[in-house]
Amino acid sequence: MCRHLGWLGRDVTVSSLVLDPPYGLRTQSYAPRRQKHGLLNADGWGVGFFDGDEIRRWRSAAPLWGDVSFTSVAPALRSHCVLAAVRSATVGMPIEVSATAPFTDGRWLLSHNGIVDRRIMPVTSSAESICDSAILADLIFARGLDALGDVIAELGTADPHARLNILAGNGSRLLATTWGDTLSVLRREDGVVVASEPYDDDPDWEDVPDCHLVEVTADGVTLTALGGKR
Ligand code: GLN
């Protein structure tokens, strides 16, 4: 399972979310604390953020811990909505930038922690990669993010081995699902962090139960139980 993180709030630097925290995504790339599947996340990383209404992405198929260019530039990148991920590729999936989250349809940024049988998803030519996560992202974009909970419950029921933790953001909303892996939420004064695992030992981190949909807007955080079965 990969690890991901989303931010919605005031403008903050990408480094303050990804690089600076003691157990942030850079540390999680070689020493995650709550990862149940896979030991480390060395198969690439990606950061996407909103620059006004523009989506900007920086992805790599190399480990985050060794990226000195990103370390140099990340303190100068500021945004109110950020989505970042480090990747542990599923066996059989290509290790390439186009298979690395976050994926986008031009309106949303999206990351997937998990695994899903590609045979239960429609074949399209629009997925960025043959990686299961890229095909899943394409399907979610096609169905629309308002159907995210339904899509996850349907896929999770069709593939009992699927793990479907999704994180998505569009500049004013973050959406996340738990379906087989960990997720935590930190409500800060200046915004909300949603992450596969806490980036520090702040006691305010709250764990999200499995099979839930999380929605973050300017009005706050809502949790809804998902249908389907796991
Ligand atoms: N299945 C996806 C991939 O291969 C995600 C893997 C993961 O969550 N570790 O990239």
Side-chain angles (χ1 to χ4, degrees):
M1 289 291 220
C2 316
R3 308 273 85 185
H4 52 208
L5 169 142
W7 167 257
L8 185 69
R10 300 229 186 89
D11 271 9
V12 295
T13 64
V14 168
S15 52
S16 72
L17 297 170
V18 174
L19 302 179
D20 304 343
Y23 307 107
L25 283 181
R26 175 162 56 187
T27 307
Q28 289 170 39
S29 68
Y30 56 85
R33 295 192 294 175
R34 294 196 179 178
Q35 191 152 339
K36 294 191 211 153
H37 302 273
L39 297 174
L40 76 174
N41 300 287
D43 301 320
W45 60 271
V47 171
F49 60 92
F50 285 80
D51 171 18
D53 290 338
E54 284 293 316
I55 285 180
R56 310 223 176 262
R57 279 190 301 168
W58 185 348
R59 296 179 296 167
S60 162
L64 178 57
W65 68 74
D67 201 313
V68 290
S69 296
F70 179 67
T71 304
S72 164
V73 175
L77 304 176
R78 301 181 71 85
S79 176
H80 68 286
C81 184
V82 179
L83 218 124
V86 289
R87 181 171 182 226
S88 168
T90 298
V91 173
M93 300 298 161
I95 298 178
E96 58 193 18
V97 168
S98 55
T100 308
F103 304 99
T104 187
D105 64 351
R107 293 170 52 216
W108 287 86
L109 290 162
L110 187 146
S111 164
H112 169 223
N113 279 184
I115 184 168
V116 58
D117 188 337
R118 289 176 286 188
R119 291 169 299 185
I120 67 163
M121 296 186 284
V123 180
T124 66
S125 55
S126 43
E128 214 186 336
S129 159
I130 59 156
C131 175
D132 59 349
S133 301
I135 296 170
L136 174 58
D138 193 50
L139 171 62
I140 294 169
F141 293 145
R143 292 274 301 267
L145 269 291
D146 287 332
L148 177 64
D150 293 340
V151 173
I152 295 311
E154 283 166 29
L155 293 176
T157 306
D159 174 6
H161 302 294
R163 298 191 300 272
L164 298 161
N165 278 41
I166 300 292
L167 179 60
N170 72 348
S172 58
R173 285 164 84 195
L174 289 181
L175 294 172
T177 58
T178 50
W179 194 279
D181 207 335
T182 56
L183 190 75
S184 302
V185 173
L186 179 66
R187 299 171 211 231
R188 297 186 353 192
E189 258 175 38
D190 55 348
V192 177
V193 186
V194 179
S196 305
E197 54 184 65
Y199 61 42
D200 62 16
D201 289 329
D202 189 327
D204 289 342
W205 284 97
E206 297 163 45
D207 294 340
V208 179
D210 201 24
C211 299
H212 275 70
L213 175 72
V214 182
E215 175 161 20
V216 183
T217 65
D219 295 331
V221 181
T222 352
L223 257 67
T224 319
L226 290 173
K229 59 171 192 289
R230 188 171 175 262

